[in-house]
Amino acid sequence: MVQFYEHVLTDLLDDPNGGLVILSSGLSLSSLIASLLLLHSPPQGSLLLLSPSPALKQRLLRHLRSRSAAPLQIPAEITADLPASHRHSLYASGGAFFITPRILIVDLLTSRVPASTVAGIVIPNAHAIAETSTEAFIVRILKSLNKNAYVRAFSDKPHAMVAGFAKAERIMKCLFIRKLHLWPRFQVYVSQELEKDPPVVVDIRVPMSKNMVGIQKAIIEVMDACLKEMRKTNKVDVEDLTVENGLFKSFDEIVRRQLDPIWHMLGKKTKQLVSDLKTLRKLLDYLVRYDAVSYLKYLDTLRVSESFRSVWIFAESSYKIFELAKKRVYRFVRSDGTKLDEPGKSTTSKKRKLREEDNHEETASGGSSSTGVIVLEEVFEEAPKWKVLREVLEEIEQERRKATLTDEECLIEGEEGDSGIVLITCKDERSCMQLEDIITNNPQKVMREEWEKYLLSKVELRDARTRYKKKPKDPKGFGILDGTLHVTTTPTAEVSSTSKQEHNALLAAVSEIRNRAKLEKPGDSIQPLVGDEGCSNGTKDKNKKGRANAKTSQHRNSSGRKKVATDGNQAVPASEDGNLTDGLVSGGYCEGNVSGHSGDRAVLQMESDQSESRSVKPLPPLHFHALESDQPILDILKPSVIIAYHPDMTFVREIEVYKAENPSRRLKIYFLFYEESTEVQKFEASIRRENGAFESLIRQKSMMMIPVDQDGHCLGQNFSMEQQASSSQNSITRKAGGRKDAEREMQVIVDMREFMSSLPNVLHQKGMHIIPVTLEVGDYILSPLICVERKSIQDLFSSFTSGRLFHQVETMVRYYRTPVLLIEFSQDKSFSFQSASDIGDDVTPNSIISKLSLLALHFPRLRIIWSRSLHATAEIFFSLKANQDEPDLTKAIRVGVPSEEGIVENDVRAENYNTSAVEFLRRLPGVTDSNYRAIMDGCKSLAELALLPLDRLAELMGGQKVARTLREFLDAKYPTLL
């Protein structure tokens, strides 16, 4: 344990009521909580840890086991599968437990938790707490039962603690906490401890390629244009709309938090701008994370999915993104070696001379000539970091071999020997797999495999479209032959002809790939096998390989790039004799070269000429780690060298803490940054943002006001509301001297599943007694007659889609006299489904208004109530419960549950009516929703209905016409076959 943890725990334990600790990101929150658990003893009472994430739970258990904690100090997990009696005994045992808020709040409300035996609660994600959260509900009930129980909350996301007005102060009031403890990275104890014995750091700035710089510049220009368009709406705080803020995921939350209340009033363009900014941030992130082919794939999917509705694609600089991304993968040249004119220049230059137009027309139409053939040249631009990473690994292996010769000096100095493990950290799992593949194999080979998959998938998709597409009829008319209209050649025709040749070049590349795949059999590849065991030197089946590869139609130019021509000329490789160089294996890396004979024949080369001339050096053992997995990889592997391929501020802090905990272990870190990239800007901005968040919290702490009672206990969030209520009651002196009427406690029966929402918390705040049970019908039982089914907006849409709402309303109508459908909106969002202009006059199957109208028509007794927020729902419940009896718990539990005889208890409709007969009656001609109840009251059965005279039917049904329709139907003769 590092030294400053002792200062954190000392400050936290000084206050017996607990406190809120906010750490810098990456300072090992799990180790701090584990140290706190080790200080807990069973005689103090039970310690409850609320809803830790799976990764945090795993880290906590690992820290506790590594420190040889006692069995009662290692938390067990309390789940809903345990019986109530077993959970009660666990609460009273005095140990530490993991428990979800939903289970704990139900046990508190049902008195299964002996509050006097609970020492305290630990909340590891305090930044997610709000006034209406279940954690605040738990603390409020526990404090009302046991004022001496402490609450210790932690957070390692300081930027989330400053989102909103006085968020830290509101969280402290919700959790009944008085003291705030701030531990930023620049705190004196923290900085001294982490900088006492720092690791060796090597910062490598890799220049980006020319195309990458162009793509990054174009994306930033497009992002700036989108932000300017959003500023014109005058509905968002202009200070937050910066490109630097747009690099982070929290930017979407900032914008949506400001736009949610007026989201239904915004136009489609503004809504699309919010989505476009998210897409552009991904494009910037993927530019430095993935290879050129994968990036082109992603852009291609964006062109298809967002071409019609997106705004950024039509920006001025967006075309540069697509063009430069293509240049990183392939380009088109003429077969004679001359470069094609750039498409942008040929299309934009409208003022050409007539001679130049004629020359271009000849070139475009001269497909048969040698100069008119367009050749696809595969570029496969490697990421600049790949080469640098290779050099770094070779350097590490050289240093490791030198260090083995000087082990005696290390032992004399008293340092621990190196583990020899090199850890490479990437952002995600996909990057790790690709880097491992690139280090093990040739980068050009890896990118070519991706490129071939990409081309084949595109052609397969095109073939699938044309297969099911109807063939157009051949047009007829003067001057048209074979369905083709011959027109005079224009510059536009020149461009279309050139693009057609480029398309043909791509198709030729695809056909060449398919032919090679058909000719090559499994095990006949000329490429050496790559794996941990080593590489094959390719001496088997040489003749087969030569014959198979002699039919391939690929060749290379002098620079090592592969070309595919559209004229169909096949190139014969010079590997017929099977002369393959032996693969060099070292540290799991393998390369293979193919040597040829004559310069006339094209040669299939596995690497470029530069990589051929380079000698392969051995590499150290490697381990790859994805930062998004959030695993304690440093404590498990204990590496001696770390290469941060995608630098991350949180992981950098974890490295500092790891080195401070192991000062005798040698550690070297390499940071790979793209020079002058958004990667560097984002890394530096994350540090500035965290420091700014702590500075804001320090200012808030100096002005914070937390109300306490005479004993020093925090009074909580609702203290001002309770004080206002008592003062208003005392002001009424004319009513018997201010005597307070004896108020009965209102009760609400709540379904267990509803505790995932915040409404039970708000109802408890308003003074209602909450009874949690498992209900088969409804979510809230307000009285013996009123049953409420609560639906949030998202749940309402999904319930209509699945048909679940129809069944729920049907059961409520069956068992309760007043079934209620409560549609609850969020407080920070618009109180509207859609704008008034979007509501049409016709009933459409996709309209939510139409679905609600049909539901109300089908169930006339159903009452639909609209609520603006949780607090408005609580006020509505108070109004509905006025002059109503309290609900019966035993009856509410039995409603909808079949008994042993198979009869549903308290089925009101089944007791009074024959359900099948009612449904049959409603389907008879002339019977409508307005008269079927009168018919049921006027006759006891369908047999009696069939004998009623026409006058009596007209009296019951409200008209002679409908009565005559029903009578004619009942008296109609049944046709027979005889």
Side-chain angles (χ1 to χ4, degrees):
M1 186 177 70
V2 289
Q3 194 78 23
F4 70 88
Y5 284 167
E6 298 180 3
H7 297 283
V8 178
L9 294 175
T10 302
D11 293 347
L12 185 60
L13 295 175
D14 283 343
D15 190 355
N17 295 321
L20 173 60
V21 178
I22 302 177
L23 286 171
S24 281
S25 180
L27 292 186
S28 189
L29 178 62
S30 58
S31 180
L32 179 62
I33 298 177
S35 303
L36 182 64
L37 292 177
L38 290 174
L39 298 176
H40 174 73
S41 59
Q44 297 174 355
S46 299
L47 179 60
L48 305 177
L49 281 82
L50 289 184
S51 61
S53 63
L56 180 61
K57 188 187 302 183
Q58 182 182 357
R59 289 184 179 229
L60 271 175
L61 295 175
R62 181 175 180 81
H63 283 302
L64 291 172
R65 293 191 182 103
S66 64
R67 299 180 189 181
S68 302
L72 285 178
Q73 290 176 329
I74 297 179
E77 189 165 4
I78 297 178
T79 62
D81 299 333
L82 298 175
S85 58
H86 190 194
R87 294 206 299 267
H88 180 82
S89 61
L90 287 176
Y91 292 135
S93 64
F97 302 100
F98 294 122
I99 188 169
T100 61
R102 181 181 169 188
I103 297 174
L104 183 56
I105 187 59
V106 171
D107 287 346
L108 279 171
L109 291 171
T110 54
S111 302
R112 291 175 189 150
V113 180
S116 59
T117 62
V118 177
I121 293 177
V122 175
I123 301 175
N125 54 346
H127 52 273
I129 304 297
E131 292 91 338
T132 57
S133 61
T134 309
E135 289 85 354
F137 192 8
I138 291 170
V139 173
R140 186 170 66 252
I141 295 179
L142 184 63
K143 282 290 186 179
S144 64
L145 300 174
N146 183 8
K147 286 190 175 182
N148 295 322
Y150 60 80
V151 178
R152 288 166 183 159
F154 300 87
S155 175
D156 59 352
K157 292 180 172 52
H159 59 274
M161 298 295 293
V162 295
F165 177 73
K167 184 176 180 179
E169 182 177 350
R170 288 187 281 112
I171 290 175
M172 293 174 66
K173 289 181 179 179
C174 292
L175 300 179
F176 293 78
I177 292 175
R178 290 179 54 192
K179 289 190 177 180
L180 174 64
H181 307 280
L182 302 176
W183 290 89
R185 171 63 178 80
F186 55 81
Q187 210 271 349
V188 177
Y189 294 122
V190 180
S191 59
Q192 287 180 354
E193 181 72 18
L194 298 183
E195 296 171 5
K196 185 188 299 182
D197 192 8
V200 180
V201 178
V202 180
D203 190 353
I204 302 176
R205 301 298 174 104
V206 184
M208 292 194 298
S209 65
K210 183 179 178 181
N211 291 329
M212 292 177 69
V213 173
I215 292 174
Q216 177 180 279
K217 182 179 178 182
I219 293 175
I220 292 176
E221 289 177 358
V222 175
M223 185 180 287
D224 193 29
C226 291
L227 290 173
K228 287 180 180 177
E229 287 293 326
M230 190 171 289
R231 291 190 191 103
K232 294 178 182 178
T233 60
N234 296 326
K235 293 179 174 63
V236 187
D237 189 3
V238 181
E239 295 180 359
D240 294 332
L241 295 184
T242 60
V243 176
E244 183 173 296
N245 287 338
L247 300 177
F248 298 95
K249 288 183 179 179
S250 59
F251 180 77
D252 300 332
E253 300 174 5
I254 294 172
V255 175
R256 287 302 299 263
R257 187 170 60 245
Q258 297 185 32
L259 294 180
D260 269 342
I262 55 173
W263 188 255
H264 66 292
M265 299 169 57
L266 298 176
K268 293 182 179 179
K269 183 178 180 181
T270 307
K271 293 179 181 179
Q272 187 59 41
L273 284 172
V274 177
S275 176
D276 287 350
L277 289 171
K278 184 177 179 180
T279 303
L280 291 170
R281 186 180 64 247
K282 285 184 179 179
L283 284 177
L284 276 177
D285 192 19
Y286 293 169
L287 176 65
V288 297
R289 195 191 300 184
Y290 297 141
D291 61 283
V293 179
S294 300
Y295 194 73
L296 182 62
K297 280 185 187 179
Y298 182 67
L299 278 176
D300 200 18
T301 58
L302 288 182
R303 188 195 293 272
V304 175
S305 61
E306 299 192 2
S307 58
F308 297 103
R309 63 176 184 273
S310 105
V311 179
W312 72 271
I313 279 187
F314 300 100
E316 185 176 355
S317 302
S318 63
Y319 80 96
K320 296 180 183 177
I321 302 173
F322 294 92
E323 291 298 322
L324 293 175
K326 287 181 182 177
K327 289 182 179 179
R328 294 180 66 199
V329 181
Y330 65 89
R331 65 183 179 185
F332 295 104
V333 296
R334 302 194 186 279
S335 56
D336 58 354
T338 58
K339 294 184 178 180
L340 282 176
D341 292 334
E342 295 182 3
K345 294 180 180 179
S346 62
T347 55
T348 54
S349 57
K350 297 181 180 179
K351 298 180 179 180
R352 291 193 186 93
K353 295 181 180 180
L354 184 60
R355 294 177 183 178
E356 292 178 353
E357 290 183 2
D358 294 338
N359 294 334
H360 280 295
E361 289 170 9
E362 291 176 2
T363 304
S365 59
S368 59
S369 63
S370 60
T371 58
V373 177
I374 293 179
V375 177
L376 173 68
E377 182 180 0
E378 295 176 351
V379 179
F380 295 153
E381 178 183 286
E382 298 182 12
K385 277 188 181 181
W386 293 353
K387 182 180 178 182
V388 176
L389 178 63
R390 177 78 187 176
E391 294 172 355
V392 168
L393 292 175
E394 293 172 354
E395 177 187 339
I396 291 170
E397 178 62 17
Q398 290 178 0
E399 293 178 355
R400 190 169 68 92
R401 294 193 172 187
K402 291 179 181 178
T404 54
L405 302 177
T406 58
D407 282 342
E408 297 178 358
E409 298 178 4
C410 296
L411 294 175
I412 293 173
E413 294 175 2
E415 293 184 352
E416 296 182 16
D418 289 341
S419 62
I421 295 176
V422 177
L423 178 65
I424 301 177
T425 61
C426 302
K427 190 78 173 177
D428 55 355
E429 201 71 41
R430 187 184 186 282
S431 300
C432 290
M433 295 173 64
Q434 188 180 58
L435 268 187
E436 186 176 5
D437 200 10
I438 286 167
I439 293 174
T440 308
N441 302 308
N442 185 10
Q444 289 289 329
K445 173 193 170 187
V446 175
M447 295 180 69
R448 180 172 294 108
E449 290 176 353
E450 289 287 331
W451 168 245
E452 290 176 357
K453 292 178 186 176
Y454 172 58
L455 278 182
L456 291 174
S457 63
K458 285 195 68 173
V459 172
E460 288 174 1
L461 180 62
R462 182 183 65 87
D463 293 342
R465 288 178 179 173
T466 56
R467 191 180 302 121
Y468 298 104
K469 188 177 180 181
K470 294 182 179 179
K471 294 183 180 180
K473 295 181 179 179
D474 293 339
K476 297 179 180 180
F478 177 75
I480 297 175
L481 298 175
D482 298 330
T484 304
L485 179 63
H486 296 279
V487 294
T488 56
T489 307
T490 60
T492 306
E494 170 202 348
V495 176
S496 63
S497 177
T498 305
S499 63
K500 184 178 180 181
Q501 288 189 350
E502 293 176 357
H503 180 69
N504 291 337
L506 285 171
L507 291 180
V510 174
S511 62
E512 184 270 335
I513 292 170
R514 285 178 171 173
N515 293 334
R516 189 170 71 249
K518 291 178 181 178
L519 293 173
E520 289 181 356
K521 297 180 180 179
D524 291 344
S525 174
I526 65 169
Q527 298 170 357
L529 298 176
V530 180
D532 292 335
E533 292 92 12
C535 298
S536 141
N537 59 2
T539 57
K540 296 182 180 180
D541 299 330
K542 296 178 182 177
N543 296 329
K544 292 182 180 179
K545 291 177 186 175
R547 287 192 297 269
N549 292 311
K551 299 178 182 179
T552 58
S553 58
Q554 53 186 354
H555 62 279
R556 291 280 190 138
N557 62 349
S558 59
S559 63
R561 296 189 176 95
K562 177 180 166 186
K563 292 183 180 180
V564 180
T566 60
D567 55 2
N569 295 329
Q570 292 184 345
V572 182
S575 58
E576 294 181 1
D577 58 348
N579 185 14
L580 296 175
T581 57
D582 294 339
L584 299 175
V585 185
S586 176
Y589 179 78
C590 176
E591 290 182 344
N593 296 329
V594 182
S595 60
H597 287 291
S598 62
D600 297 340
R601 290 180 173 181
V603 179
L604 178 63
Q605 299 177 342
M606 295 303 299
E607 293 185 353
S608 63
D609 296 340
Q610 297 177 358
S611 59
E612 281 182 358
S613 61
R614 184 187 61 186
S615 60
V616 180
K617 298 180 181 179
L619 301 180
L622 304 178
H623 289 269
F624 294 85
H625 171 61
L627 296 175
E628 65 181 10
S629 64
D630 198 17
Q631 298 294 324
I633 193 69
L634 297 177
D635 296 329
I636 297 172
L637 291 180
K638 300 187 182 301
S640 57
V641 179
I642 300 173
I643 300 177
Y645 190 82
H646 295 141
D648 180 72
M649 181 191 69
T650 302
F651 188 68
V652 171
R653 303 272 172 77
E654 292 179 5
I655 296 173
E656 289 182 321
V657 173
Y658 167 75
K659 186 63 174 70
E661 292 176 344
N662 303 276
S664 62
R665 187 178 296 276
R666 288 184 296 178
L667 182 63
K668 191 172 185 179
I669 307 170
Y670 291 87
F671 289 105
L672 299 184
F673 283 104
Y674 278 117
E675 192 175 6
E676 297 181 356
S677 67
T678 55
E679 185 181 36
V680 180
Q681 185 181 1
K682 186 176 180 179
F683 182 80
E684 295 173 351
S686 62
I687 299 175
R688 287 196 302 269
R689 188 173 64 151
E690 185 183 88
N691 292 339
F694 271 110
E695 291 172 1
S696 176
L697 288 170
I698 291 170
R699 288 193 299 269
Q700 290 183 31
K701 184 179 178 180
S702 63
M703 299 180 291
M704 202 172 284
M705 296 180 64
I706 306 295
V708 296
D709 59 7
Q710 295 178 350
D711 299 328
H713 299 291
C714 181
L715 294 176
Q717 183 78 15
N718 298 324
F719 169 71
S720 58
M721 297 172 59
E722 294 171 359
Q723 189 178 20
Q724 184 179 1
S726 62
S727 62
S728 62
Q729 180 66 29
N730 291 331
S731 63
I732 307 175
T733 58
R734 296 187 63 183
K735 293 183 179 180
R739 184 184 66 187
K740 189 174 182 180
D741 296 335
E743 295 182 357
R744 60 185 178 89
E745 187 180 29
M746 290 189 175
Q747 296 181 355
V748 178
I749 299 176
V750 183
D751 186 28
M752 292 281 195
R753 294 175 286 270
E754 277 298 302
F755 282 93
M756 298 182 68
S757 69
S758 300
L759 184 55
N761 182 11
V762 177
L763 294 175
H764 187 270
Q765 282 182 354
K766 300 292 184 181
M768 289 189 180
H769 179 58
I770 307 298
I771 305 175
V773 294
T774 301
L775 296 176
E776 292 294 329
V777 179
D779 293 330
Y780 297 86
I781 309 299
L782 304 184
S783 73
L785 305 178
I786 302 176
C787 174
V788 179
E789 180 70 31
R790 173 189 165 273
K791 293 291 180 186
S792 62
I793 302 303
Q794 184 177 3
D795 192 18
L796 181 69
F797 279 84
S798 62
S799 298
F800 268 125
T801 304
S802 63
R804 188 174 74 252
L805 182 59
F806 183 88
H807 175 69
Q808 290 171 337
V809 174
E810 186 180 27
T811 53
M812 284 197 303
V813 170
R814 176 182 298 178
Y815 297 117
Y816 290 94
R817 183 175 298 177
T818 310
V820 177
L821 174 63
L822 174 70
I823 301 174
E824 187 177 270
F825 288 78
S826 181
Q827 187 171 4
D828 55 349
K829 294 187 178 181
S830 61
F831 188 44
S832 171
F833 279 131
Q834 52 195 147
S835 59
S837 58
D838 296 335
I839 301 176
D841 298 332
D842 299 331
V843 175
T844 58
N846 296 327
S847 173
I848 188 67
I849 302 297
S850 300
K851 293 178 180 179
L852 283 172
S853 303
L854 293 174
L855 187 69
L857 288 172
H858 197 81
F859 300 104
R861 285 171 45 208
L862 177 66
R863 302 293 180 257
I864 300 178
I865 296 179
W866 307 80
S867 175
R868 182 181 293 273
S869 64
L870 293 169
H871 298 278
T873 302
E875 297 295 335
I876 291 170
F877 279 10
F878 270 100
S879 303
L880 292 176
K881 284 183 66 65
N883 303 322
Q884 293 283 338
D885 295 332
E886 296 300 329
D888 190 345
L889 178 60
T890 56
K891 289 184 178 181
I893 295 175
R894 285 162 47 195
V895 165
V897 180
S899 63
E900 295 179 358
E901 293 82 8
I903 302 172
V904 178
E905 297 285 347
N906 296 331
D907 193 342
V908 179
R909 192 173 75 171
E911 291 175 358
N912 298 331
Y913 305 108
N914 185 347
T915 308
S916 302
V918 173
E919 295 297 330
F920 180 79
L921 171 66
R922 296 185 65 178
R923 283 163 174 76
L924 292 177
V927 180
T928 62
D929 291 336
S930 59
N931 60 18
Y932 83 94
R933 294 185 184 86
I935 298 173
M936 291 167 59
D937 294 337
C939 57
K940 296 181 179 180
S941 64
L942 291 173
E944 184 179 344
L945 175 66
L947 300 176
L948 288 179
L950 183 62
D951 297 338
R952 179 60 177 163
L953 279 178
E955 182 182 351
L956 292 176
M957 299 179 70
Q960 288 285 341
K961 185 177 180 180
V962 290
R964 191 178 300 107
T965 303
L966 178 59
R967 173 51 59 194
E968 291 175 356
F969 174 78
L970 294 174
D971 295 341
K973 293 183 179 180
Y974 185 77
T976 60
L977 297 176
L978 299 177

